[in-house]
Amino acid sequence: MSTTAVPSLFTRIMAGEIPADIVFENERIIAFRDIAPKAPVHLLVVPKTAEFANVTELAAADPALLAEVIAIVQQLADEHCGGQYRLVFNTGPLAGQTIFHVHAHLLGGPLPEGSLGQ
Ligand code: AMP
């Protein structure tokens, strides 16, 4: 049986194979605008490693990388939406996750008051 994994969409964006509106990049993390924004500001903040499918796996294996994701989220929110934001990690298909390469949705700008919906 082959063990070759199919690269995730995000891995292909990082490789430059698929265009994206990149707003941040360092050695470990990349952030770009969601192609189908659900808020005035909708950024995806993505650890470059494809090792973790979701935030639970990331937190268990590399809490320092998760903390760095959160720090970058704050930095991007400061730059794009006045430092205030909603952070969503869809975890599992029943929660709406479609790409199984851990990523944070940073949602900002005016958001519906009292709603957790995207
Ligand atoms: P999730 O459903 O939590 O796995 O999030 C995947 C997100 O990726 C969705 O919000 C999509 O709109 C977004 N997405 C899909 N394709 C692209 C793309 N080519 N560039 C930027 N965002 C994308």
Side-chain angles (χ1 to χ4, degrees):
M1 193 171 80
S2 168
T3 54
T4 307
V6 176
S8 76
L9 174 77
F10 296 156
T11 297
R12 298 184 67 200
I13 286 175
M14 285 172 227
E17 294 173 16
I18 294 175
D21 187 353
I22 295 169
V23 296
F24 175 87
E25 185 166 14
N26 70 12
E27 284 181 8
R28 293 165 300 283
I29 294 168
I30 190 168
F32 45 88
R33 293 186 194 279
D34 196 292
I35 203 167
K38 304 294 193 299
V41 174
H42 187 169
L43 306 178
L44 299 175
V45 185
V46 185
K48 287 186 172 179
T49 175
E51 200 179 340
F52 310 115
N54 59 54
V55 70
T56 304
E57 291 183 10
L58 174 60
D62 195 342
L65 182 55
L66 176 57
E68 187 176 355
V69 168
I70 303 300
I72 298 302
V73 163
Q74 183 65 62
Q75 179 182 316
L76 289 167
D78 290 344
E79 293 169 8
H80 292 267
C81 47
Q84 300 180 45
Y85 60 89
R86 178 176 297 156
L87 194 60
V88 174
F89 287 93
N90 292 328
T91 303
L94 294 180
Q97 187 175 9
T98 58
I99 298 178
F100 297 88
H101 176 147
V102 61
H103 55 282
H105 294 256
L106 189 173
L107 301 154
L111 296 172
E113 200 174 326
S115 165
L116 285 177
Q118 277 192 39

